[in-house]
Amino acid sequence: MADQSESAGSTVEHEKSLMEKISEKIHDHDSSSSSSSDSDNEKPESPKSEKPKVFRIFGREKPVHHVFGGGKPADVFLWRNKKVSAGVLGGATAVWVLFELLEYHLLTLVGHILIGTLAVLFLWSNAHSFIHKTPPRIPEVHLPEEPFLQVASELRLQINWAFAVLHDIASGRELKKFLIVIAGLWVLSIVGTWCNFLTLFYISFVLLHTLPVIYEKYEDKIDPFAEKATIEFKKHYAVFDAKVLSKIPQGLKNKRS
């Protein structure tokens, strides 16, 4: 009986030890799987695929408003304030009608405006005691120096840039720029035979107040057409370059060689 009880106890202990080993293995497996899953979660995410670059006219990357400087001039050109934009365009139209259609001269207009203004103010200042009204308060006008210096500095930079481009073209270094400038001047000379400088300036002013706002509104439809036109132009230019431009000698070095 004692042997049987000892054997039964040993079998029970053996089963307990076996169950403990199995539970330990299961626990180790769970911990390893959880650690592997954690490591998988900690893996860096794959970088997102970059969006395809959208073609924009002139290769711009900023909105149209930023291209025009993002200040009040951009607000006027893009009609952010319709009253101001309409007033500016209406004023330019009035000036063009006066000088172009009515053939009014600038000096005559300035002289008449000054004569009328000074006469009214002079009479009002001397007749206020008779008409029992307060004399006019004429403000003192002082032009600030800083805006004129900024405009002059920017104009100087643009003129120097134009001189540098013309110097490169005249030196025979940039054949492409030479052809572009010649074509632009030729077109400008043709347009000059159709209208005078004032009309050309007015047309440019009107286009500057209409084309940017139209492009900003329909840029998603205009840019694809511009991309197709650019591709076609590059194809034709490549053919022209291979057949004509590549055969033109570039400078004295090419001539000597």
Side-chain angles (χ1 to χ4, degrees), residues 147-166:
F148 289 94
L149 293 178
Q150 291 178 353
V151 172
S153 177
E154 185 65 24
L155 185 61
R156 181 184 64 85
L157 293 176
Q158 296 298 328
I159 292 175
N160 289 336
W161 174 80
F163 281 154
V165 173
L166 294 176

Side-chain angles (χ1 to χ4, degrees), residues 68-175:
F68 281 94
K72 292 183 178 180
D75 294 338
V76 173
F77 292 140
L78 297 176
W79 292 74
R80 294 289 191 268
N81 191 336
K82 294 183 179 180
K83 292 182 179 180
V84 175
S85 300
V88 172
L89 189 58
T93 303
V95 170
W96 179 77
V97 170
L98 279 174
F99 294 126
E100 186 64 24
L101 298 183
L102 301 180
E103 296 182 354
Y104 219 75
H105 298 286
L106 178 61
L107 291 177
T108 304
L109 178 63
V110 173
H112 287 173
I113 291 175
L114 291 177
I115 289 172
T117 304
L118 291 176
V120 170
L121 292 176
F122 180 81
L123 293 175
W124 190 359
S125 298
N126 288 280
H128 69 278
S129 59
F130 298 100
I131 60 178
H132 303 288
K133 290 186 177 181
T134 58
R137 295 180 180 179
I138 304 174
E140 295 184 1
V141 179
H142 296 283
L143 297 178
E145 183 180 3
E146 186 177 356
F148 289 94
L149 293 178
Q150 291 178 353
V151 172
S153 177
E154 185 65 24
L155 185 61
R156 181 184 64 85
L157 293 176
Q158 296 298 328
I159 292 175
N160 289 336
W161 174 80
F163 281 154
V165 173
L166 294 176
H167 181 269
D168 291 339
I169 294 172
S171 301
R173 300 174 184 174
E174 297 288 344
L175 180 60

